[in-house]
Amino acid sequence: MLQRRIPLLITFLTGVIIVITFFIPHPPFGKLQDDALVWYSIILGFSMLIGVDSLLRFHYRRIARREKGFGFSFVFYAGFLACFITGIISEIKFGDAFAEGTSFRYLYDYILVPLQSTMFALLAFFVASASYRAFRARNFIATLLLITAVIVMLGRIPIGAKIPGITPLTDWILNYLQLGPARGIRIGIALGAISMSLRLILGIERTYLS
Amino acid sequence: MIWEKLTKIDRRYIFLFIGIVVLLPIVFNLKVSVKISDEVLSAYKEIDNLPKGSAVMISIDYDAASMPELQPMLKAILRHCFKKELKVILINFWPLGVPIGAQGLEEVAREFNKTYGVDYINLGYRPGDVAVMLRMGIDIKKVFYTDLSGRPLDSLPIMNNIKNYDDIGILVGLEAGAMGDAWIQYVGTRFKQKIILGVTAVMAAEQYPYLQAGQIVGLIGGLKGAAEYETLVNIPGTGLVGMASQTYAHLTIIFFIIIGNISYFVLRRKGKKK
């Protein structure tokens, strides 16, 4: 019983305090907010440790059960250990793992950065291929999408400015046509977040306890 | 037969064309001129109108994946700030963006002979996202006791007259994720901090509601935005070079879309006749 009630009570009190201090940042609430934010940072630090623990266990299970693609879990362990060990050594030796000349920085500059850049750069190729296949004027809506995409694509490059009407049309699409739905989606997300927060604070939503 | 082939072009050919048109402008260092958009001009003017010695806080919220789009923005903004003799405070909310931000800052600071700790500072990364943002509204030194290299903030002259957002002229968020929303929702709304966002091209459209509502005072979107800012600062950089690649890549994609649609209609007409 207490196992459920105590977390619910902590959630309720924390939620209420944070909401009050956000709107009334004056004494005594201001100090409370400051303390709560420090606590948040500390808890976040520990949650990272839990995340690492969870990831290590997940890949250990995959290897132990010889699940499909378990070889990639070895790659994960190799990467994790390489970063962890070089990170600790670099931090002790240089006082900053990212300092120039450290082994950790070497891994960052010559493995991580090229890998991240490559992954993102590949998008250009896939977007081109997908656009060629997907933008077909099969019906009225598809045609509208196709025309809008081509106008915006032209409007986002210098040559578009030389074609009469493209720049104002692109600006109109960005400033008006897409703005209404974009704002609607954002308001919808915000309302959803508020209702979910209220459910959590009031103890209606309890799935996080399981 | 030819139309059928054109409807189903092997994607490797598309990849090859895209590869060539992206690579050639970079190899030959081709630059294109860009038309300045209102949102980038507004960002430029806001920084330009700051009094000499004002502080500009730049948040590096990206990593290597978004570096080609956002790093030229960072450098162009830094050049503008240093030209105008503004103080620069760099912070990071993406831990993997720390070296990238530091690299850009040091490079541009060297160009302008600026002194660390006097003209600019790099505060590094602190975990906690929104908590860090909110606590900086009370006192920056309570969150960042030291700078990136471990020097106490009190020992650096740049921080003598800077306590919280009240002392920051403009906050520039360079975003590849959701931190921009947090800056607006928590810092812009609560502390009335003027904010400029520099975002990747795919995120740009989502930021227009903030711009129209006045929640941000400027928007620099994608490589085009970076190229526009470089043009305004009058120091061409990788943004303008990249813009040439982007121009030819867009034209290639449009070309393939047109080819695909023409062949699609020809085949559909033939099908109807049969």
Side-chain angles (χ1 to χ4, degrees):
Chain A
M1 196 69 172
L2 279 178
Q3 272 184 335
R4 294 180 76 81
R5 279 194 180 170
I6 289 175
L8 283 173
L9 191 68
I10 293 171
T11 310
F12 175 77
L13 288 175
T14 313
V16 170
I17 289 169
I18 293 288
V19 171
I20 291 172
T21 56
F22 187 83
F23 291 103
I24 316 169
H26 310 289
F29 299 112
K31 177 78 176 72
L32 264 176
Q33 183 203 32
D34 205 25
D35 290 342
L37 292 173
V38 173
W39 271 86
Y40 174 83
S41 299
I42 294 167
I43 293 167
L44 191 83
F46 280 100
S47 70
M48 280 182 188
L49 284 179
I50 294 168
V52 170
D53 174 63
S54 165
L55 201 61
L56 289 171
R57 280 171 196 266
F58 171 77
H59 285 282
Y60 175 75
R61 272 199 303 273
R62 282 188 68 185
I63 293 170
R65 292 174 189 166
R66 295 282 188 275
E67 286 175 18
K68 194 182 170 191
F70 73 95
F72 293 114
S73 295
F74 283 113
V75 178
F76 160 74
Y77 269 108
F80 176 79
L81 288 173
C83 287
F84 186 73
I85 293 165
T86 55
I88 296 285
I89 292 171
S90 306
E91 193 71 41
I92 293 168
K93 215 170 163 185
F94 293 87
D96 176 17
F98 280 123
E100 292 287 343
T102 64
S103 47
F104 185 78
R105 182 63 189 259
Y106 185 86
L107 285 181
Y108 177 84
D109 282 341
Y110 297 106
I111 295 182
L112 190 77
V113 169
L115 278 175
Q116 280 193 324
S117 307
T118 308
M119 286 298 289
F120 205 68
L122 283 175
L123 274 180
F125 296 95
F126 288 115
V127 164
S129 171
S131 305
Y132 162 70
R133 271 160 236 287
F135 288 136
R136 296 277 158 91
R138 290 190 174 89
N139 52 46
F140 178 66
I141 292 173
T143 312
L144 273 184
L145 184 69
L146 165 70
I147 293 167
T148 314
V150 170
I151 291 170
V152 175
M153 264 195 276
L154 279 173
R156 300 301 293 173
I157 53 175
I159 211 165
K162 288 173 183 147
I163 305 170
I166 288 292
T167 305
L169 211 51
T170 306
D171 289 344
W172 182 77
I173 289 168
L174 289 171
N175 286 310
Y176 297 98
L177 200 61
Q178 68 92 28
L179 199 79
R183 183 167 283 146
I185 291 167
R186 278 191 180 276
I187 292 171
I189 293 169
L191 290 174
I194 291 169
S195 68
M196 180 50 90
S197 304
L198 280 175
R199 284 174 66 86
L200 282 165
I201 291 169
L202 299 174
I204 302 165
E205 179 64 50
R206 297 178 180 196
T207 45
Y208 69 96
L209 290 172
S210 57
Chain B
M1 189 63 182
I2 180 91
W3 297 115
E4 273 177 21
K5 275 188 179 172
L6 285 176
T7 329
K8 293 170 189 167
I9 298 173
D10 190 327
R11 64 167 145 175
R12 283 171 295 187
Y13 289 116
I14 300 174
F15 292 169
L16 183 70
F17 271 94
I18 291 289
I20 291 168
V21 298
V22 168
L23 204 63
L24 286 181
I26 296 170
V27 170
F28 293 106
N29 202 23
L30 296 180
K31 288 190 178 79
V32 289
S33 60
V34 290
K35 188 176 174 285
I36 312 298
S37 60
D38 293 340
E39 51 269 30
V40 176
L41 187 64
S42 163
Y44 176 84
K45 278 184 178 168
E46 287 289 343
I47 294 182
D48 209 60
N49 290 337
L50 287 173
K52 185 180 160 186
S54 301
V56 175
M57 183 177 270
I58 303 178
S59 179
I60 305 294
D61 306 329
Y62 62 93
D63 57 17
S66 311
M67 201 175 158
E69 279 185 291
L70 298 177
Q71 195 77 348
M73 269 182 217
L74 170 68
K75 288 183 186 173
I77 293 166
L78 284 171
R79 283 179 181 125
H80 189 197
C81 291
F82 287 144
K83 248 185 177 180
K84 291 285 301 177
E85 299 199 19
L86 302 171
K87 309 280 181 195
V88 173
I89 301 168
L90 203 77
I91 56 165
N92 300 262
F93 277 100
W94 282 36
L96 291 176
V98 175
I100 295 169
Q103 206 175 31
L105 180 62
E106 289 301 332
E107 186 189 319
V108 179
R110 265 196 306 273
E111 279 174 30
F112 287 83
N113 288 322
K114 293 292 174 183
T115 313
Y116 186 85
V118 177
D119 304 306
Y120 70 100
I121 187 171
N122 190 348
L123 298 182
Y125 167 79
R126 288 286 181 281
D129 303 344
V130 172
V132 172
M133 288 177 183
L134 287 172
R135 290 192 73 211
M136 284 202 300
I138 301 161
D139 192 346
I140 295 171
K141 288 172 195 163
K142 274 191 176 178
V143 194
F144 292 91
Y145 311 107
T146 61
D147 70 351
L148 180 65
S149 50
R151 272 172 283 191
L153 290 199
D154 286 327
S155 68
L156 299 165
I158 187 174
M159 296 304 287
N160 284 351
N161 299 317
I162 296 171
K163 187 174 191 292
N164 52 33
Y165 296 120
D166 293 342
D167 308 309
I168 304 290
I170 273 185
L171 190 143
V172 181
L174 299 179
E175 314 296 337
M179 294 310 295
D181 292 329
W183 279 122
I184 294 163
Q185 287 159 12
Y186 293 98
V187 178
T189 311
R190 176 150 173 198
F191 299 101
K192 309 288 175 221
Q193 175 65 58
K194 273 188 178 180
I195 297 171
I196 290 169
L197 285 189
V199 298
T200 56
V202 287
M203 288 169 60
E206 293 169 22
Q207 313 306 323
Y208 279 82
Y210 289 137
L211 188 69
Q212 201 197 38
Q215 287 167 291
I216 51 174
V217 293
L219 175 65
I220 311 167
L223 201 62
K224 183 173 182 279
E228 288 174 31
Y229 211 98
E230 282 176 0
T231 308
L232 285 166
V233 180
N234 204 20
I235 305 176
T238 48
L240 279 163
V241 176
M243 227 18 234
S245 290
Q246 187 167 308
T247 300
Y248 297 119
H250 278 205
L251 289 176
T252 308
I253 293 172
I254 292 168
F255 170 75
F256 277 112
I257 290 173
I258 292 169
I259 294 275
N261 276 284
I262 291 172
S263 52
Y264 170 74
F265 277 110
V266 171
L267 284 178
R268 200 165 76 165
R269 185 169 278 187
K270 277 184 181 176
K272 272 182 186 171
K273 276 183 184 173
K274 280 178 188 175

